[in-house]
């Protein structure tokens, strides 16, 4: 238990785990009086040079007074933080609040001196940069706005830490010392620096797990059988290029190798291994995991893949064990994939790691694959592996991660790795939960700008798996999906769609638009494809029927002509087998299509085939999924040896499930393994071109062009539609627009109103007058509505507002219920108003129950809804749709993350299915959509400028031929949710 030093309680919320530049982790926490011995031990391990840089003089040891000063803090004016690994200090930072004269001070003084000391063995790991982020956040919390630091000119590393941080700073030189002063408010540059460091660190932490130089399988049984032994066999059989060890404490002391595993050293403990271990694959019973983690940490293991189940997937007690597991691993600087993980795969010829329960190594390829579920992971591997049935053709993966309970390493971390991984061109992800939606959206937007990211989300209509502890979001799934699409994510609904889209994106260029040419030898199949294109919002040309007698040459000519047509952006070829056609016909047709496509490589080509297995294989006859490389890299890719195809049937029966042999609780392997590759012959791997084995890339002609083949028109066209939408997003992302700065916005008055209202309570809904005042400060004018508790009051209100007027019911249970007739419009005189008043009170209830109001009539137009909400997990979102059934019944709403740009507001208005009603549908007069877009931008600015405005509702908003009229408005205020994306880098707390 930490003991508070002076005036304030120990600030436990300052504790955090961080990922360092080299991919390891450290824990940052406040220094307390309990840390005296740790501080002295730490200082003894610091070099004399580092001590000199810290104190500007020789300082061999700390005095008792020094130790007291550096461990006693009030956590307000004097604060010290330490970075620890294994419970020991590796770096410290402190600040002392000072006044204008540089002497110690208390609030309201807002400047502090800051100083660092990093153990020499840990310099260069980015520890000082991480500590600066955290001490700056602490200082801001305590009312400090500026840091000052004095550094010797020779201490270039520390000067670089300050200058590279991105804060606005001032530098001076006096008496041989560099003095740096900088403000602590985050800037665009400081946030960009922080996010770039985060990306490098998290990517490196994943890279250490996927490309280890040495692996120890802990829990590998002496005899064949069991999960641990199966994992060991999978790693060995895949041809892992690093050092491999077997570890099992049940082994007899004299055992040096396991039965049937020649050349793999066996040990009773990882501590007995003579040499470093980069990755430990843990497959022991849950009760033994803690001991294994401690041994790994003491030996310096860099990361863990924990296959063992029985943690958060097993209920509340297991969740506590999972938290303890993560805390223990991080205390040693290790990251974890799992627990309850299926494993990891890296097909690179430099690594060839299959540390998973998949009995076969997938073919090398250019697709990165992430799955939270082991069962779904092996299903995806199987579909990508298979040459027939689903999406046909050879394909492969670069890396595969199945995270299980994802207690530590998550999809966000793997995205950081794939973002600049040169071996990955397309990312496919199966997610059952998104632990940090705000961060995922940010990373997805950046990744999608460089390479396609396709996501299918499970558990969309209920809670996620028990093993996943994620923050709750109030947003409906449809809203979250729309926000992901805004970030460039290709959202699909099934794993079949996931693979379909992935193969097209990996093999073909992005289309320039939605215009599709259709040609083939079946009129019916062409018409089906045409209808599918229309259903997906594409613009198909009339199908070209080549007739069933078309030859390969006819297909080549037709495809070449279609690709040369400037009015065509993509081509779908439909093919059915001709009666009596010899098997060689498939190869001839495939060659003709590939030759024509290669002549125009800028346009995508897809094939819809019916029972043409040979055609599908011939179209995709290559050992990878990459698009044709540029000449500069083509030779390198062709020279890459994909290695022998893995053998089928070598795993012991039942080896994918927990075995009594080692007592391991592990996720059960699916009953269906990936479809096997053709069996090995006496001479080794199958011959190129044989069933189940593609010809090596070197055997392909220079103009080879991989074409994906699909067994159904709908699947091919849906994949193409995803590609078209993604290509359009890429073009739009190149010019995202801007957030307009309206001169009439009074941000200061709005802030004062918000602050004054929040003094009344933690969360409140503003009254009509306050709502109108706040919205008015942002140029949003709400039509005045006067209460009408009596008929006479209604008459007086109409006289004050000017006729014609509307009489409306505003009771919450009756609002927006047009079917109940709670609104009377175009009331021109007193008699009509009294009659309408009497009818409403007679039919619907008393005036007190109905809360009647009188409002002047607005110009006629289209009724719409504008809403904004701040979700603690996903962030602030703006929503728009038409009022009534389109939004309430059909959910036809558009959503965008705040702040919204002018380009996004423009696309938002046009993206709903009922948008034609705004643009003159069936001869109606188009309404003023520019005024509507301006309203959306003003609401976005209000919520972005004032995070205390957690909810805004404008309904209805009547969009007329000229201008908009806001007839109803509500605003809710609350303290803003915590923003983890603006604070220092941290790992999720456990």
């Amino acid at each position: 238990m930490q003991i508070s030093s002076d005036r304030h309680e120990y600030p436990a919320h300052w504790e955090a785990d961080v990922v360092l530049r080299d991919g390891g982790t450290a824990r940052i926490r406040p220094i307390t009086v309990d840390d005296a011995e740790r501080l002295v031990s730490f200082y003894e391990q610091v070099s004399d040079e580092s001590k000199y840089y810290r104190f500007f003089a020789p300082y061999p040891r700390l005095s008792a007074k020094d130790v007291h000063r550096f461990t006693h803090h009030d956590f307000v004016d004097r604060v010290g933080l330490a970075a620890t690994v294994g419970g020991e200090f590796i770096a410290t930072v402190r600040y002392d609040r000072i006044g204008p004269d540089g002497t110690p001070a208390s609030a309201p003084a807002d400047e502090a001196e800051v100083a660092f000391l990093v153990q020499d063995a840990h310099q260069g790991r980015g520890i000082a940069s991480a500590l600066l982020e955290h001490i700056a956040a602490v200082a801001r919390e305590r009312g400090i706005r500026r840091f000052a630091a004095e550094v010797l000119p020779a201490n270039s590393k520390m000067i670089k830490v300050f200058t590279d941080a991105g804060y606005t700073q001032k530098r001076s030189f006096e008496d041989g010392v560099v003095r740096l002063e900088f403000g602590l408010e985050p800037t665009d540059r400081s946030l960009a620096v922080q996010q770039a460091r985060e990306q490098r660190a998290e990517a490196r932490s994943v890279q250490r797990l996927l490309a280890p130089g040495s692996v120890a399988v802990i829990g590998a049984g002496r005899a064949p059988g069991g999960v641990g032994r199966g994992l060991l066999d999978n790693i060995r059989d895949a041809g892992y290029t690093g050092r491999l060890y077997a570890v099992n404490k049940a082994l007899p002391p004299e055992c040096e190798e396991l039965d049937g595993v020649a050349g793999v050293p066996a040990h009773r403990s990882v501590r007995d291994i003579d040499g470093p271990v980069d990755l430990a694959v843990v497959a022991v019973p849950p009760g033994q995991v803690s001991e294994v983690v401690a041994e790994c940490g003491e030996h310096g293991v860099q990361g863990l893949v924990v296959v063992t189940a029985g943690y958060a997937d097993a209920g509340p007690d297991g969740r506590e064990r999972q938290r303890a597991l993560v805390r223990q691993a991080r205390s040693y600087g290790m990251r974890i994939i799992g627990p309850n993980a299926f494993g990891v795969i890296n097909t690179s010829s430099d690594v060839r790691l299959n540390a998973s329960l998949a009995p076969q190594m997938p073919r090398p390829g250019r697709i990165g694959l992430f799955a939270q579920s082991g069962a779904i992971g092996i299903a995806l591997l199987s579909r990508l592996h298979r040459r027939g049935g689903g999406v046909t053709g050879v394909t492969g993966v670069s890396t595969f991660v199945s995270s299980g309970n994802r207690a530590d390493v998550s999809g966000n971390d793997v995205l950081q790795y794939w973002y600049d991984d040169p071996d990955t061109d397309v990312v496919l992800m199966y997610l059952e939960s998104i632990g940090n939606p705000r961060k995922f959206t940010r990373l997805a937007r950046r990744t999608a700008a460089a390479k396609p990211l396709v996501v299918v989300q499970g558990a969309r209509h209920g809670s996620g798996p028990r093993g996943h502890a994620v923050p709750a979001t109030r947003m409906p799934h449809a809203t979250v999906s729309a926000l992901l699409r805004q970030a460039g994510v290709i959202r699909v609904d099934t794993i079949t769609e996931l693979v379909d889209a992935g193969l097209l994106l990996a093999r073909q260029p992005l289309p320039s638009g939605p215009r599709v040419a259709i040609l083939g030898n079946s009129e019916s199949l062409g018409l089906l494809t045409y209808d599918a294109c229309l259903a997906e919002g594409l613009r198909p040309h009339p199908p070209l029927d080549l007739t069933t007698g078309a030859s390969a040459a006819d297909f080549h000519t037709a495809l070449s002509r279609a690709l040369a047509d400037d009015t065509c952006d993509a081509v779908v070829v439909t093919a059915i087998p001709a009666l009596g056609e010899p098997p060689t016909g498939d190869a001839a047709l495939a060659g003709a299509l590939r030759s024509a496509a290669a002549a125009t490589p800028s346009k995508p080509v897809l094939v819809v085939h019916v029972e043409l297995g040979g055609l599908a294989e011939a179209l995709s006859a290559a050992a990878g999924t990459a698009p044709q490389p540029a000449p500069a890299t083509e030779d390198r890719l062709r020279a890459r040896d994909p290695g022998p195809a893995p053998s089928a049937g070598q795993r012991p029966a039942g080896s994918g499930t927990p075995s009594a042999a080692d007592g391991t609780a592990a996720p059960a392997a699916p009953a269906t393994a990936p479809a096997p590759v053709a069996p090995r012959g006496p001479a080794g791997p199958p011959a190129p071109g044989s069933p189940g084995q593609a010809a090596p890339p070197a055997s392909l002609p220079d103009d080879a062009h991989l074409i994906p083949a699909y067994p159904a028109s709908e699947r091919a066209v849906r994949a193409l539609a995803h590609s078209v939408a993604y290509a359009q997003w890429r073009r739009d992302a190149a010019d995202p627009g801007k957030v307009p700065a309206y001169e009439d916005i009074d941000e200061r008055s709005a802030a004062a109103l918000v602050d004054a209202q929040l003094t009344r309570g933690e969360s409140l809904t503003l009254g009509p007058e306050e709502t109108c005042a706040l919205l008015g400060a942002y140029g949003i004018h709400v039509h005045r509505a006067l209460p009408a508790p009596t008929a006479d009051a209604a008459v007086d209100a109409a006289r004050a507002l000017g006729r014609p007027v509307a009489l409306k019911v505003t009771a919450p249970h009756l609002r927006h219920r047009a079917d109940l007739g709670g609104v009377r419009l175009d009331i021109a005189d007193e008699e009509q108003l009294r009659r309408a008043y009497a009818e409403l009170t007679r039919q619907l209830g008393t005036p007190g129950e109905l809360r009647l109001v009188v409002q002047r009539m607005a110009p006629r137009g289209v009724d719409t809804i504008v809403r904004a909400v701040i979700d603690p997990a996903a962030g602030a979102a703006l929503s728009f749709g038409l009022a009534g059934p389109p939004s309430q019944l059909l959910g036809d709403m558009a959503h965008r993350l705040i702040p919204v740009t002018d380009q996004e507001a423009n696309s938002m208005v046009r993206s709903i299915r009922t948008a034609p009603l705004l643009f003159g549908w069936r001869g109606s007069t188009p309404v003023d959509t520019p005024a509507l877009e301006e309203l959306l931008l003003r609401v976005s600015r209000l919520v972005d400028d004032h995070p205390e405005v957690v909810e805004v509702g404008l309904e209805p908003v009547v969009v007329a031929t000229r201008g908009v009229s806001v007839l109803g408005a509500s605003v809710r205020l609350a303290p803003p949710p915590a923003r983890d994306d603006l604070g220092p880098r941290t790992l999720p707390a456990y």
Side-chain angles (χ1 to χ4, degrees):
M1 178 179 176
Q2 301 288 354
I3 299 175
S4 177
S5 300
D6 283 324
R7 301 197 322 243
H8 288 262
E9 292 296 322
Y10 176 79
H13 65 286
W14 293 351
E15 295 183 356
D17 294 310
V18 297
V19 183
L20 303 177
R21 182 182 300 155
D22 62 358
T25 66
R27 184 159 187 80
I28 294 176
R29 65 169 178 82
I31 299 174
T32 72
V33 296
D34 295 337
D35 293 318
E37 292 184 7
R38 293 187 186 89
L39 182 66
V40 171
S41 174
F42 158 73
Y43 194 77
E44 290 174 348
Q45 298 177 63
V46 175
S47 70
D48 291 339
E49 181 183 48
S50 294
K51 293 174 182 175
Y52 185 86
Y53 285 153
R54 170 64 175 84
F55 294 103
F56 300 176
Y59 216 89
R61 64 186 58 83
L62 296 176
S63 66
K65 184 177 180 181
D66 293 328
V67 173
H68 184 276
R69 182 163 66 97
F70 293 151
T71 56
H72 285 68
H73 305 100
D74 62 6
F75 301 129
V76 177
D77 301 326
R78 303 185 316 280
V79 173
L81 301 179
T84 68
V85 173
E88 298 302 320
F89 285 8
I90 61 171
T92 62
V93 62
R94 63 176 287 113
Y95 78 67
D96 293 272
R97 194 190 299 258
I98 57 174
D101 58 355
T103 60
S106 297
D110 61 358
E111 185 173 356
E113 285 187 333
V114 65
F116 295 79
L117 186 59
V118 181
Q119 207 174 86
D120 295 66
H122 294 277
Q123 291 179 8
R125 301 184 65 197
I127 299 173
S129 298
L131 282 173
L132 177 58
E133 291 177 19
H134 283 261
I135 198 72
V138 167
R140 289 194 296 268
E141 181 181 326
R142 296 311 194 198
I144 294 173
R145 297 292 172 258
R146 294 184 307 282
F147 270 166
E150 294 185 344
V151 187
L152 291 175
N155 193 359
S156 57
K157 291 182 180 178
M158 188 52 61
I159 292 176
K160 184 174 175 60
V161 167
F162 291 121
T163 57
D164 288 355
Y167 295 111
T168 302
Q169 52 186 260
K170 180 173 66 176
R171 183 191 300 203
S172 59
F173 183 79
E174 187 176 349
D175 298 330
V177 174
V178 177
R179 180 177 177 83
L180 297 167
E181 299 179 17
F182 50 95
L184 299 183
E185 283 303 311
T187 64
D188 290 342
R189 182 167 177 264
S190 71
L191 290 174
V193 168
Q194 180 175 310
Q195 291 171 5
R197 288 172 172 167
E198 174 192 64
Q199 189 274 326
R200 289 192 297 269
E202 293 180 356
R204 174 61 179 152
S205 72
V206 173
Q207 197 246 355
R208 299 202 314 179
L209 294 163
L210 292 176
S214 54
V215 176
V217 179
I218 304 176
R222 184 173 184 180
V227 172
R229 179 59 181 269
L231 288 163
L232 182 72
D233 291 343
N234 291 345
I235 296 173
R236 180 202 58 184
D237 293 345
Y240 173 57
T241 60
R243 297 176 302 279
L244 180 60
Y245 305 97
V247 176
N248 193 323
K249 70 175 185 179
L251 296 175
E254 68 278 4
C255 180
E256 296 183 355
E257 289 184 356
L258 304 183
D259 296 343
V261 191
V264 178
H267 302 275
R268 290 169 54 83
S269 169
V270 72
R271 286 184 291 211
D272 299 333
I273 297 174
D274 185 16
V277 174
D278 296 331
L279 176 68
V281 182
V282 180
V284 300
Q288 300 176 18
V289 171
S290 178
E291 177 186 354
V292 166
V293 172
E295 293 178 356
C296 290
E298 292 165 5
H299 190 71
V301 173
Q302 294 183 349
L304 307 172
V305 173
V306 181
V307 179
T308 306
Y311 286 87
D313 51 290
D317 292 341
R319 188 176 299 280
E320 289 303 316
R321 288 195 298 272
Q322 183 165 299
R323 292 192 177 107
L325 169 64
V326 174
R327 287 194 296 266
Q328 183 187 19
R330 288 180 180 171
S331 73
Y332 290 106
M334 298 184 293
R335 299 213 66 184
I336 295 177
I337 291 179
N340 192 31
F342 189 75
V344 298
I345 296 173
N346 187 344
T347 65
S348 168
S349 59
D350 295 331
V351 182
R352 295 200 58 80
L353 175 67
N354 180 16
S356 79
L357 295 173
Q360 297 173 3
M361 183 76 157
R363 296 181 184 89
R366 310 288 298 177
I367 293 177
L369 188 60
F370 177 86
Q372 290 178 349
S373 160
I376 299 299
I378 200 168
L380 286 170
L381 288 173
S382 176
R383 286 171 186 256
L384 287 170
H385 208 74
R386 193 181 307 149
R387 297 187 60 91
V391 176
T392 57
V394 175
T395 189
V397 301
S398 57
T399 43
F400 164 78
V401 176
S402 181
S403 62
N405 293 359
R406 65 158 194 73
D408 182 23
V409 173
S410 69
N412 284 346
D413 297 291
V414 184
L415 264 187
Q416 299 275 40
Y417 170 76
W418 278 326
Y419 167 65
D420 54 9
D421 175 32
D423 293 331
T424 301
D425 292 334
V426 178
V427 175
L428 307 184
M429 305 186 80
Y430 170 78
L431 304 176
E432 291 176 336
S433 59
I434 302 177
N436 188 337
R438 196 191 298 265
K439 180 177 179 180
F440 180 80
T441 301
R442 170 170 59 85
L443 300 186
R445 182 187 295 273
R446 186 190 59 192
T447 302
K451 57 189 68 173
L453 169 59
V454 192
V455 172
V456 61
Q457 189 174 352
R460 297 192 296 268
H461 305 294
S463 59
R466 287 190 299 175
H468 299 182
V470 298
T473 174
R474 297 191 299 264
M475 289 185 178
H477 173 74
T479 305
V480 175
S481 295
L483 298 181
L484 292 180
R485 282 191 291 270
Q486 182 194 356
V489 175
I490 302 171
R491 276 279 294 106
V492 298
D493 293 325
T494 67
I495 61 172
T496 299
E497 278 189 75
L498 185 73
V499 175
D500 285 352
L503 292 180
L504 174 62
L505 292 163
R507 294 175 170 185
Q508 293 287 300
L510 295 176
S512 299
R515 301 168 301 180
V516 183
I518 304 168
L519 61 94
N521 61 356
S522 168
E523 182 180 15
S524 297
L525 196 54
L527 291 173
L528 282 174
T529 305
Y530 182 87
D531 291 343
C533 287
L534 292 176
E536 294 293 339
L538 303 178
R539 291 163 53 189
H541 294 184
L544 173 61
D545 181 18
L546 302 178
T547 75
T548 55
S551 65
D554 295 331
F555 272 93
H556 181 279
T557 301
L559 179 56
S560 298
R561 187 179 297 116
L563 290 171
D565 184 355
D566 291 338
T567 66
C568 163
D569 301 310
V571 181
V572 178
V573 178
T574 62
I576 61 171
L579 294 177
E581 186 177 79
T584 55
D586 289 344
L589 177 55
L593 296 177
R594 292 168 61 194
S595 173
T600 310
S602 61
K603 295 182 180 181
V605 177
L606 304 79
V607 170
V608 178
H609 66 93
V610 177
E611 299 298 333
L612 289 181
L615 173 60
E617 293 178 7
L619 286 169
S620 304
T625 59
Q628 289 305 299
T633 60
E634 187 168 354
D635 291 341
R636 176 180 62 82
L637 291 176
R638 285 168 179 262
R640 180 174 174 180
D641 178 14
S647 172
Q650 293 187 352
R651 289 286 305 280
S655 61
T657 56
S659 167
D662 58 11
T664 303
T672 303
V677 183
R680 295 177 186 265
S690 64
Q693 176 68 25
S699 68
L700 293 177
D702 290 341
D703 62 349
H705 197 76
L706 301 177
I707 301 176
Y710 299 84
S713 299
E714 297 81 3
R715 289 173 56 178
V717 171
R718 190 170 294 117
L720 179 59
H722 289 311
S723 183
V724 168
Y726 171 66
Q728 184 62 49
W729 180 89
R730 288 277 289 264
R731 290 189 290 271
D732 293 342
D735 181 19
K738 60 183 180 180
V739 177
Y742 296 109
E743 294 183 358
D744 60 340
I745 287 179
D746 190 349
E747 185 175 345
R748 184 171 299 178
S749 295
L753 190 153
V754 168
D755 291 342
Q757 291 297 315
L758 282 177
T759 59
R760 296 166 44 202
E762 286 289 308
S763 177
L764 71 157
T765 299
L766 296 184
E769 292 186 8
E770 294 83 1
T771 296
C772 292
L774 179 59
L775 294 174
Y778 273 72
I780 303 167
H781 302 292
V782 183
H783 271 232
R784 189 181 178 194
L786 298 179
T790 66
D792 290 339
V795 171
D796 293 339
R799 188 178 299 114
L801 294 172
R803 299 186 180 94
V805 297
L807 181 65
K808 303 194 300 185
V809 171
T810 63
H813 66 289
L814 295 174
R815 289 189 70 189
H816 314 308
R817 289 294 305 275
D819 56 312
L820 298 180
V823 179
R824 297 291 188 270
L825 303 176
D826 289 318
I827 301 175
D829 55 41
E830 178 178 341
E831 181 182 353
Q832 289 182 353
L833 180 58
R834 290 185 180 277
R835 185 165 58 250
Y837 197 98
E839 289 175 355
L840 288 176
T841 53
R842 182 175 63 252
Q843 295 172 3
L844 300 178
T846 66
E849 295 172 337
L850 301 183
R851 302 183 190 179
L852 291 163
V853 298
V854 175
Q855 196 171 44
R856 184 169 181 173
M857 284 295 298
R860 293 299 182 97
V862 179
D863 289 359
T864 65
I865 301 171
V866 177
R867 293 175 183 151
V869 63
I870 295 183
D871 184 87
L878 182 69
S879 302
F880 162 76
L882 298 194
S887 58
Q888 296 175 359
L889 181 62
L890 303 178
D892 185 21
M893 299 282 289
H895 310 278
R896 297 291 187 273
L897 287 171
I898 291 173
V900 172
T901 68
D902 51 2
Q903 296 275 46
E904 290 170 335
N906 181 280
S907 67
M908 193 174 186
V909 168
R910 289 157 177 80
S911 64
I912 57 175
R913 298 193 300 276
T914 46
L917 293 173
L918 302 169
F919 295 95
W921 186 65
R922 287 189 173 179
S924 62
T925 304
V927 298
D928 191 352
T929 52
L932 174 60
E933 292 166 20
E934 181 178 328
L935 175 65
L936 293 170
L937 290 166
R938 289 178 179 273
V939 173
S940 170
R941 275 288 308 274
L942 170 64
V943 176
D944 191 45
D945 291 344
H946 306 282
E948 302 88 352
V949 180
V950 296
E951 195 171 327
V952 175
L954 307 181
E955 183 179 2
V957 175
V958 181
V959 189
T961 55
R962 186 173 181 180
V964 297
S965 301
V966 180
L967 303 186
S970 63
V971 175
R972 189 168 68 86
L973 304 181
R979 294 267 320 253
D980 53 12
D981 57 329
L982 297 180
R985 289 173 285 158
T986 65
L987 287 170
Y990 255 92

